[in-house]
Amino acid sequence: KLLEEPSENGVCVIELTDNEDTRKMWPFSFRAEYRVELMEDRLKTTLLISNPVKATSSEPSAKEFFFTAALHSYYGVGNVGACKIVG
């Protein structure tokens, strides 16, 4: 789901939340938010993962989980020699 309409500032925010189909693959309640910002001299990406259901809930998917991610971005560039990676 797109959370913010595309802006003049070059920001896009999308969200994925659990549903019946996702819980067949991964039995947890979750919310994932991915934010992409086009900045003057860089591209900034942020991934936030959360469990929106309290552990005291009687809902079966209301379980604690641990999550790690590795974002591998592949960008087509005209001149790779002019690129630099910082961070």
Side-chain angles (χ1 to χ4, degrees):
K1 173 172 108 175
L2 186 63
L3 292 183
E4 291 182 19
E5 292 299 318
S7 70
E8 290 181 17
N9 296 329
V11 176
C12 177
V13 182
I14 55 176
E15 174 189 58
L16 177 65
T17 56
D18 64 286
N19 59 43
E20 186 176 315
D21 291 328
T22 64
R23 286 189 298 273
K24 289 176 186 174
M25 296 179 277
W26 201 55
F28 298 96
S29 294
F30 70 90
R31 179 178 179 273
E33 179 182 303
Y34 187 56
R35 181 181 184 91
V36 179
E37 297 177 70
L38 296 174
M39 306 177 98
E40 185 175 322
D41 62 343
R42 65 186 182 274
L43 178 69
K44 179 179 179 184
T45 60
T46 307
L47 175 63
L48 300 171
I49 307 294
S50 61
N51 183 342
V53 180
K54 297 193 181 304
T56 57
S57 172
S58 60
E59 187 176 326
S61 62
K63 298 180 269 186
E64 181 180 38
F65 64 82
F66 297 92
F67 190 90
T68 60
L71 298 178
H72 298 279
S73 303
Y74 299 92
Y75 304 108
V77 296
N79 181 359
V80 73
C83 296
K84 67 179 180 177
I85 299 173
V86 180

